PDB file of all heavy atoms in Angstrom:
ATOM      1  N   GLN A 253      19.812  24.979  15.610  1.00  0.00           N
ATOM      2  CA  GLN A 253      19.978  26.109  16.524  1.00  0.00           C
ATOM      3  C   GLN A 253      18.912  27.149  16.221  1.00  0.00           C
ATOM      4  O   GLN A 253      18.532  27.363  15.069  1.00  0.00           O
ATOM      5  CB  GLN A 253      21.369  26.722  16.345  1.00  0.00           C
ATOM      6  CG  GLN A 253      22.518  25.806  16.735  1.00  0.00           C
ATOM      7  CD  GLN A 253      22.579  25.566  18.225  1.00  0.00           C
ATOM      8  OE1 GLN A 253      22.294  26.456  19.033  1.00  0.00           O
ATOM      9  NE2 GLN A 253      22.944  24.369  18.623  1.00  0.00           N
ATOM     10  N   MET A 254      18.484  27.813  17.276  1.00  0.00           N
ATOM     11  CA  MET A 254      17.518  28.902  17.125  1.00  0.00           C
ATOM     12  C   MET A 254      18.014  29.912  16.088  1.00  0.00           C
ATOM     13  O   MET A 254      19.209  30.285  16.080  1.00  0.00           O
ATOM     14  CB  MET A 254      17.351  29.590  18.496  1.00  0.00           C
ATOM     15  CG  MET A 254      16.208  30.546  18.600  1.00  0.00           C
ATOM     16  SD  MET A 254      15.918  31.042  20.310  1.00  0.00           S
ATOM     17  CE  MET A 254      17.505  31.689  20.783  1.00  0.00           C
ATOM     18  N   GLY A 255      17.125  30.351  15.216  1.00  0.00           N
ATOM     19  CA  GLY A 255      17.495  31.313  14.187  1.00  0.00           C
ATOM     20  C   GLY A 255      17.911  30.689  12.868  1.00  0.00           C
ATOM     21  O   GLY A 255      17.990  31.386  11.849  1.00  0.00           O
ATOM     22  N   GLN A 256      18.163  29.377  12.871  1.00  0.00           N
ATOM     23  CA  GLN A 256      18.556  28.708  11.643  1.00  0.00           C
ATOM     24  C   GLN A 256      17.324  28.350  10.812  1.00  0.00           C
ATOM     25  O   GLN A 256      16.214  28.228  11.316  1.00  0.00           O
ATOM     26  CB  GLN A 256      19.337  27.431  11.963  1.00  0.00           C
ATOM     27  CG  GLN A 256      20.674  27.675  12.638  1.00  0.00           C
ATOM     28  CD  GLN A 256      21.625  28.419  11.732  1.00  0.00           C
ATOM     29  OE1 GLN A 256      21.916  27.985  10.612  1.00  0.00           O
ATOM     30  NE2 GLN A 256      22.113  29.562  12.189  1.00  0.00           N
ATOM     31  N   GLU A 257      17.569  28.161   9.534  1.00  0.00           N
ATOM     32  CA  GLU A 257      16.506  27.740   8.622  1.00  0.00           C
ATOM     33  C   GLU A 257      16.474  26.217   8.547  1.00  0.00           C
ATOM     34  O   GLU A 257      17.532  25.574   8.566  1.00  0.00           O
ATOM     35  CB  GLU A 257      16.796  28.320   7.231  1.00  0.00           C
ATOM     36  CG  GLU A 257      15.860  27.822   6.123  1.00  0.00           C
ATOM     37  CD  GLU A 257      16.261  28.354   4.761  1.00  0.00           C
ATOM     38  OE1 GLU A 257      16.034  29.547   4.496  1.00  0.00           O
ATOM     39  OE2 GLU A 257      16.785  27.554   3.961  1.00  0.00           O
ATOM     40  N   VAL A 258      15.281  25.667   8.476  1.00  0.00           N
ATOM     41  CA  VAL A 258      15.155  24.224   8.267  1.00  0.00           C
ATOM     42  C   VAL A 258      14.189  23.965   7.120  1.00  0.00           C
ATOM     43  O   VAL A 258      13.253  24.735   6.901  1.00  0.00           O
ATOM     44  CB  VAL A 258      14.686  23.461   9.523  1.00  0.00           C
ATOM     45  CG1 VAL A 258      15.716  23.545  10.632  1.00  0.00           C
ATOM     46  CG2 VAL A 258      13.334  23.937   9.991  1.00  0.00           C
ATOM     47  N   ILE A 259      14.422  22.902   6.419  1.00  0.00           N
ATOM     48  CA  ILE A 259      13.505  22.443   5.365  1.00  0.00           C
ATOM     49  C   ILE A 259      13.130  21.004   5.649  1.00  0.00           C
ATOM     50  O   ILE A 259      13.998  20.136   5.776  1.00  0.00           O
ATOM     51  CB  ILE A 259      14.158  22.548   3.965  1.00  0.00           C
ATOM     52  CG1 ILE A 259      14.492  24.008   3.646  1.00  0.00           C
ATOM     53  CG2 ILE A 259      13.211  21.983   2.905  1.00  0.00           C
ATOM     54  CD1 ILE A 259      15.209  24.206   2.333  1.00  0.00           C
ATOM     55  N   LEU A 260      11.844  20.797   5.780  1.00  0.00           N
ATOM     56  CA  LEU A 260      11.320  19.454   6.006  1.00  0.00           C
ATOM     57  C   LEU A 260      10.724  18.952   4.699  1.00  0.00           C
ATOM     58  O   LEU A 260      10.006  19.700   4.012  1.00  0.00           O
ATOM     59  CB  LEU A 260      10.250  19.469   7.108  1.00  0.00           C
ATOM     60  CG  LEU A 260      10.626  20.208   8.401  1.00  0.00           C
ATOM     61  CD1 LEU A 260       9.494  20.083   9.422  1.00  0.00           C
ATOM     62  CD2 LEU A 260      11.924  19.704   8.971  1.00  0.00           C
ATOM     63  N   ARG A 261      11.007  17.706   4.395  1.00  0.00           N
ATOM     64  CA  ARG A 261      10.620  17.180   3.095  1.00  0.00           C
ATOM     65  C   ARG A 261       9.588  16.069   3.203  1.00  0.00           C
ATOM     66  O   ARG A 261       9.615  15.277   4.130  1.00  0.00           O
ATOM     67  CB  ARG A 261      11.846  16.685   2.339  1.00  0.00           C
ATOM     68  CG  ARG A 261      12.769  17.804   1.928  1.00  0.00           C
ATOM     69  CD  ARG A 261      13.975  17.335   1.132  1.00  0.00           C
ATOM     70  NE  ARG A 261      14.650  18.468   0.519  1.00  0.00           N
ATOM     71  CZ  ARG A 261      15.487  19.284   1.142  1.00  0.00           C
ATOM     72  NH1 ARG A 261      15.767  19.092   2.404  1.00  0.00           N
ATOM     73  NH2 ARG A 261      16.056  20.296   0.497  1.00  0.00           N
ATOM     74  N   CYS A 262       8.736  16.015   2.215  1.00  0.00           N
ATOM     75  CA  CYS A 262       7.653  15.044   2.183  1.00  0.00           C
ATOM     76  C   CYS A 262       7.469  14.571   0.742  1.00  0.00           C
ATOM     77  O   CYS A 262       7.621  15.350  -0.198  1.00  0.00           O
ATOM     78  CB  CYS A 262       6.371  15.723   2.683  1.00  0.00           C
ATOM     79  SG  CYS A 262       4.845  14.811   2.413  1.00  0.00           S
ATOM     80  N   VAL A 263       7.169  13.295   0.615  1.00  0.00           N
ATOM     81  CA  VAL A 263       6.752  12.762  -0.682  1.00  0.00           C
ATOM     82  C   VAL A 263       5.343  12.226  -0.484  1.00  0.00           C
ATOM     83  O   VAL A 263       5.138  11.187   0.154  1.00  0.00           O
ATOM     84  CB  VAL A 263       7.675  11.659  -1.195  1.00  0.00           C
ATOM     85  CG1 VAL A 263       7.171  11.117  -2.531  1.00  0.00           C
ATOM     86  CG2 VAL A 263       9.092  12.189  -1.354  1.00  0.00           C
ATOM     87  N   PRO A 264       4.330  12.953  -0.987  1.00  0.00           N
ATOM     88  CA  PRO A 264       2.950  12.481  -0.832  1.00  0.00           C
ATOM     89  C   PRO A 264       2.696  11.230  -1.670  1.00  0.00           C
ATOM     90  O   PRO A 264       3.517  10.846  -2.512  1.00  0.00           O
ATOM     91  CB  PRO A 264       2.123  13.660  -1.359  1.00  0.00           C
ATOM     92  CG  PRO A 264       3.056  14.832  -1.374  1.00  0.00           C
ATOM     93  CD  PRO A 264       4.419  14.250  -1.623  1.00  0.00           C
ATOM     94  N   ILE A 265       1.552  10.618  -1.437  1.00  0.00           N
ATOM     95  CA  ILE A 265       1.140   9.474  -2.262  1.00  0.00           C
ATOM     96  C   ILE A 265       0.962   9.968  -3.700  1.00  0.00           C
ATOM     97  O   ILE A 265       0.388  11.035  -3.931  1.00  0.00           O
ATOM     98  CB  ILE A 265      -0.149   8.853  -1.684  1.00  0.00           C
ATOM     99  CG1 ILE A 265       0.186   8.222  -0.329  1.00  0.00           C
ATOM    100  CG2 ILE A 265      -0.747   7.824  -2.630  1.00  0.00           C
ATOM    101  CD1 ILE A 265      -0.996   7.731   0.465  1.00  0.00           C
ATOM    102  N   SER A 266       1.447   9.183  -4.645  1.00  0.00           N
ATOM    103  CA  SER A 266       1.694   9.688  -6.001  1.00  0.00           C
ATOM    104  C   SER A 266       0.450  10.225  -6.706  1.00  0.00           C
ATOM    105  O   SER A 266       0.552  11.169  -7.464  1.00  0.00           O
ATOM    106  CB  SER A 266       2.353   8.615  -6.838  1.00  0.00           C
ATOM    107  OG  SER A 266       1.505   7.496  -6.974  1.00  0.00           O
ATOM    108  N   ASN A 267      -0.713   9.655  -6.525  1.00  0.00           N
ATOM    109  CA  ASN A 267      -1.878  10.162  -7.264  1.00  0.00           C
ATOM    110  C   ASN A 267      -2.730  11.122  -6.437  1.00  0.00           C
ATOM    111  O   ASN A 267      -3.844  11.473  -6.841  1.00  0.00           O
ATOM    112  CB  ASN A 267      -2.727   8.989  -7.776  1.00  0.00           C
ATOM    113  CG  ASN A 267      -3.255   8.149  -6.630  1.00  0.00           C
ATOM    114  OD1 ASN A 267      -2.814   8.269  -5.498  1.00  0.00           O
ATOM    115  ND2 ASN A 267      -4.224   7.289  -6.931  1.00  0.00           N
ATOM    116  N   HIS A 268      -2.213  11.541  -5.302  1.00  0.00           N
ATOM    117  CA  HIS A 268      -2.941  12.499  -4.472  1.00  0.00           C
ATOM    118  C   HIS A 268      -2.723  13.917  -4.966  1.00  0.00           C
ATOM    119  O   HIS A 268      -1.689  14.237  -5.548  1.00  0.00           O
ATOM    120  CB  HIS A 268      -2.536  12.371  -3.013  1.00  0.00           C
ATOM    121  CG  HIS A 268      -3.157  11.195  -2.339  1.00  0.00           C
ATOM    122  ND1 HIS A 268      -2.975  10.947  -0.984  1.00  0.00           N
ATOM    123  CD2 HIS A 268      -3.971  10.220  -2.796  1.00  0.00           C
ATOM    124  CE1 HIS A 268      -3.659   9.859  -0.663  1.00  0.00           C
ATOM    125  NE2 HIS A 268      -4.263   9.405  -1.747  1.00  0.00           N
TER     126      HIS A 268
END
Side-chain angles (χ1 to χ4, degrees):
Chain A
Q253 295 291 324
M254 192 169 56
Q256 295 295 304
E257 173 184 286
V258 295
I259 298 176
L260 311 183
R261 292 182 167 80
C262 168
V263 179
I265 293 172
S266 63
N267 62 346
H268 282 184

